[in-house]
Amino acid sequence: MIRWTGEAEPGRPWWWEAVAPEATADGLPDHCDVLVIGAGYTGLSAAIAAHDSGAKVVVVEAGVPGEGASSRNGGMVGAHPRLSWDKMAAAFGAEVADALLAEAAPALEWARDFIAHETIDCDFQQTGRVQLAYTAAHFEGQKRLAEKVRAKSRVKVELLEREALGREIDTGLYHGGILFPEHGAVHPAKYHRGMLDAVRRRGVPVVSHARVEAMERDGTRHVARTPKGRIRADKVVLATNGYTTRPFAWHAKRVFPLPSYIIATEELPENLIGHLAPGRRMMVETRARHSYFRVSPDGKRILFGGRAAMRDVPLHVAAARQRQTMVEVWPELEEARLSHVWSGYTGFSFAQMPHVGQRDGISFAMGFSGSGTVMAPYLGAKAGWLAVGDARAETAYAQTRLPRHVLHLFDRPHFLKAADVVYRHWVDRAEAWQARRR
């Protein structure tokens, strides 16, 4: 049974206790050079890139800027592709796989420089991130991954044998791990607010409650219809990722919203935090549950996220499942109360990789598949430069794809209901059985 502190209503992210999203009061102009649709990390970064290239930019947001995934994620900073080199080579070719690995270090450097240049106060720390091998087979895969990363990129990696994990995390659950020492952490809501402030400093309007309901063409110009009126634009950047809906059906059929659920514990004793996570790293698992967890920026709580379900479920159900997984990792937290539970949508592609491209004259960056803290702003800038014809738009992520899948025939991902059953009742159980084989 879950015990709650009563600090927050279910659905409110712990991050919002420091910085909650707020609606802007900007009006909608009647025209611009570049219209950016979406005011999350991707859209705000695209707006900065296009503006600084000389374009007159307007950003429209369906709701309140930052209320989506940009203020709901785990705040983990890393740019390493989620797929192995072998899988990327099979999907896109060896040359593209090499380029994607090679771009990881520049993307991470871009993110750090961006935070510094825009003076964004977001609790950034270079904590390092540990990927924890749930099975022995997963650890063998990590060994192959480390070899490819060292050979084909400037990303630093360190393999952690099982006996070495104790310096990072106090648990007997994992078979080993791989450490990315240059990865880091941010407070995601502060990160978004800092980006929004950077856009506003440039005089770029950010229009709240202005969902694009229809797109038309007026000669060579795009016309977007919103509840606040129409706006004409020479170029358009679509930056909606896991929140993409009509009229952008082509994109919605290729990038689907996958919910991620996060819980926060009550404030814990400092010595307990130090015992559970002595390395104070960002931590992720290799199992299909995609658990990720960390110490909060103030050093007082554990934040624990992942796949409690592949579809929308009541938050008390998600919290119970996340708590159960957390206690598997740290049995010492059996009696810890929870203070918050919330969810957000990650934009997953069937290739499990982001893509930057153009469709019907609309530039876009989406499909971050759980790596949006760095890749959304980084590739958002690429999409902004692509819209204005700036050479800095070049990226290996223009060579990936957003494929369709026979299971996803409509705008909404109805297949996730069946996938949720398969993963919870077969995949998770199979991985648990494999993990017990020492």
Side-chain angles (χ1 to χ4, degrees):
M1 181 177 177
I2 299 176
R3 295 190 302 147
W4 295 92
T5 65
E7 293 177 52
E9 290 295 320
R12 180 179 176 84
W14 180 77
W15 308 116
W16 291 12
E17 304 303 337
V19 180
E22 297 177 352
T24 57
D26 295 345
L28 185 72
D30 59 8
H31 70 278
C32 62
D33 298 328
V34 177
L35 175 66
V36 177
I37 303 172
Y41 294 159
T42 312
L44 296 179
S45 182
I48 290 171
H51 173 275
D52 291 358
S53 294
K56 179 182 178 182
V57 181
V58 173
V59 181
V60 293
E61 165 59 41
V64 175
E67 69 179 351
S70 293
S71 65
R72 295 174 176 271
N73 63 82
M76 298 187 180
V77 176
H80 181 74
R82 68 180 296 111
L83 296 183
S84 68
W85 184 91
D86 292 337
K87 290 183 178 180
M88 290 191 295
F92 314 119
E95 185 176 345
V96 175
D98 285 351
L100 290 168
L101 275 183
E103 198 164 344
L108 184 57
E109 291 162 1
W110 180 93
R112 289 198 299 255
D113 291 346
F114 177 73
I115 290 171
H117 182 265
E118 299 297 338
T119 61
I120 298 176
D121 180 9
C122 58
D123 300 330
F124 172 72
Q125 291 181 302
Q126 189 172 309
T127 59
R129 176 160 57 169
V130 178
Q131 183 191 73
L132 299 157
Y134 188 61
T135 71
H138 291 173
F139 187 51
E140 292 303 312
Q142 288 182 328
K143 292 177 182 178
R144 296 190 294 272
L145 172 63
E147 291 177 2
K148 291 292 187 182
V149 169
R150 291 184 183 119
K152 297 180 179 295
S153 77
R154 292 187 286 107
V155 174
K156 294 181 181 178
V157 295
E158 178 184 343
L159 274 172
L160 301 174
E161 297 288 345
R162 190 169 200 161
E163 56 271 17
L165 283 183
R167 72 173 191 250
E168 306 296 347
I169 180 172
D170 181 58
T171 183
L173 194 62
Y174 303 108
H175 288 252
I178 187 169
L179 169 63
F180 297 92
E182 294 176 313
H183 287 193
V186 295
H187 186 299
K190 291 182 180 180
Y191 188 30
H192 179 270
R193 179 61 61 85
M195 293 179 65
L196 180 60
D197 290 344
V199 170
R200 303 297 295 279
R201 284 197 302 269
R202 288 166 166 82
V204 173
V206 179
V207 187
S208 302
H209 303 297
R211 179 185 297 277
V212 174
E213 299 170 333
M215 291 292 297
E216 304 164 359
R217 297 298 290 262
D218 180 7
T220 60
R221 306 192 85 185
H222 301 268
V223 182
R225 189 182 74 215
T226 81
K228 294 192 172 181
R230 295 173 181 263
I231 180 170
R232 289 173 169 78
D234 294 326
K235 305 290 182 181
V236 175
V237 175
L238 183 63
T240 48
N241 199 38
Y243 296 79
T244 304
T245 59
R246 287 182 180 272
F248 306 103
W250 186 90
H251 303 83
K253 291 175 181 177
R254 288 161 173 81
V255 175
F256 56 92
L258 190 65
S260 185
Y261 297 89
I262 305 181
I263 56 175
T265 69
E266 64 184 333
E267 291 190 3
L268 302 173
E270 183 177 355
N271 61 341
L272 177 58
I273 291 282
H275 171 70
L276 299 176
R280 298 296 179 102
R281 310 286 193 184
M282 302 294 98
M283 291 171 278
V284 298
E285 291 183 332
T286 58
R287 60 173 153 176
R289 205 170 285 182
H290 296 304
S291 296
Y292 53 93
F293 36 97
R294 60 172 292 180
V295 178
S296 60
D298 61 7
K300 297 179 179 180
R301 303 171 191 255
I302 295 293
L303 308 181
F304 199 102
R307 176 178 58 79
M310 297 183 75
R311 58 190 180 92
D312 292 330
V313 297
L315 285 174
H316 72 274
V317 172
R321 292 175 181 173
Q322 291 296 66
R323 178 189 172 278
Q324 180 181 12
T325 306
M326 180 179 71
V327 173
E328 286 179 21
V329 177
W330 286 305
E332 298 93 329
L333 295 180
E334 175 70 44
E335 300 301 321
R337 295 183 300 170
L338 301 185
S339 63
H340 296 71
V341 58
W342 69 96
S343 66
Y345 293 116
T346 59
F348 253 76
S349 73
F350 289 102
Q352 297 186 59
M353 292 289 287
H355 180 65
V356 177
Q358 289 183 320
R359 169 78 177 178
D360 295 334
I362 297 176
S363 302
F364 62 88
M366 56 179 57
F368 304 116
S369 304
S371 61
T373 309
V374 167
M375 299 311 295
Y378 174 69
L379 295 181
K382 296 291 185 180
W385 287 321
L386 182 63
V388 299
D390 192 304
R392 287 174 290 178
E394 182 178 352
T395 173
Y397 288 92
Q399 304 303 315
T400 59
R401 294 187 299 275
L402 290 181
R404 288 286 307 272
H405 196 285
V406 67
L407 295 176
H408 190 24
L409 300 176
F410 308 101
D411 294 356
R412 295 184 178 181
H414 299 291
F415 69 93
L416 288 178
K417 293 181 180 179
D420 184 58
V421 173
V422 171
Y423 270 80
R424 291 191 60 240
H425 292 283
W426 281 280
V427 175
D428 290 348
R429 290 180 181 180
E431 283 192 334
W433 178 79
Q434 293 168 3
R436 288 193 295 269
R437 299 177 65 187
R438 300 300 181 183

